[in-house]
Amino acid sequence: MGLLDRFRSRRSSGQAKAPSAESYLREWTNARIGVEAFVEPRTTVTETTVVFVAHDGEWTRRRVGNPNRAKKLARSMQIPIYDVQLVGYPKRMRDHDARERALRKKAKQEEMLRQLREKDRDR
């Protein structure tokens, strides 16, 4: 046993998480309409990932191991697949994120206002 062997994963990269990620993506896609896949390249931090985007901009991201696995998954689900480096992310995804951010900000402001009102009542 080498010095660093105990820190290395015993599983090969992408192999262990693929089935659970794949089943999650299948369930996620079945619960939504108009889903498209966008393959993201491998980076120094993460392996290849795929982003699934629904018609309303809701999205999810999972590791897939390599671009061929992502293509195979998308083909088996009969959904379009794109290379994010070539086409970019869809506008509806950015719009969805902006809406969600605005809703979180509004909820936070309402909660702060509710707390202030309660504090004033207690005085």
Side-chain angles (χ1 to χ4, degrees):
M1 176 182 239
L3 179 62
L4 297 177
D5 285 345
R6 79 174 57 179
F7 298 112
R8 290 188 187 117
S9 173
R10 295 188 189 272
R11 296 176 258 168
S12 62
S13 178
Q15 296 296 328
K17 293 191 177 190
S20 62
E22 188 174 311
S23 62
Y24 169 80
L25 291 170
R26 286 183 185 282
E27 289 175 20
W28 193 89
T29 301
N30 289 334
R32 287 152 186 86
I33 59 174
V35 176
E36 296 176 322
F38 295 83
V39 178
E40 298 175 315
R42 180 182 179 161
T43 66
T44 56
V45 179
T46 62
E47 59 192 72
T48 302
T49 54
V50 65
V51 177
F52 278 27
V53 183
H55 80 288
D56 63 350
E58 183 181 4
W59 60 275
T60 188
R61 174 183 287 124
R62 291 292 183 268
R63 292 180 186 159
V64 290
N66 63 55
N68 290 332
R69 182 177 285 160
K71 291 174 189 170
K72 184 178 176 183
L73 175 63
R75 271 190 248 122
S76 73
M77 297 170 66
Q78 298 180 343
I79 62 173
I81 185 163
Y82 307 101
D83 185 335
V84 81
Q85 290 181 309
L86 298 176
V87 299
Y89 295 101
K91 184 173 182 338
R92 67 181 184 274
M93 182 178 165
R94 292 187 302 274
D95 292 345
H96 177 269
D97 287 348
R99 281 191 308 272
E100 291 296 314
R101 237 183 341 268
L103 288 173
R104 284 192 305 269
K105 182 178 179 181
K106 183 177 179 180
K108 184 177 178 181
Q109 289 172 341
E110 288 174 354
E111 176 62 20
M112 289 174 64
L113 185 59
R114 185 189 63 76
Q115 289 175 355
L116 284 173
R117 287 181 180 150
E118 283 181 9
K119 198 174 187 180
D120 283 346
R121 257 187 266 140
D122 293 341
R123 286 185 190 181

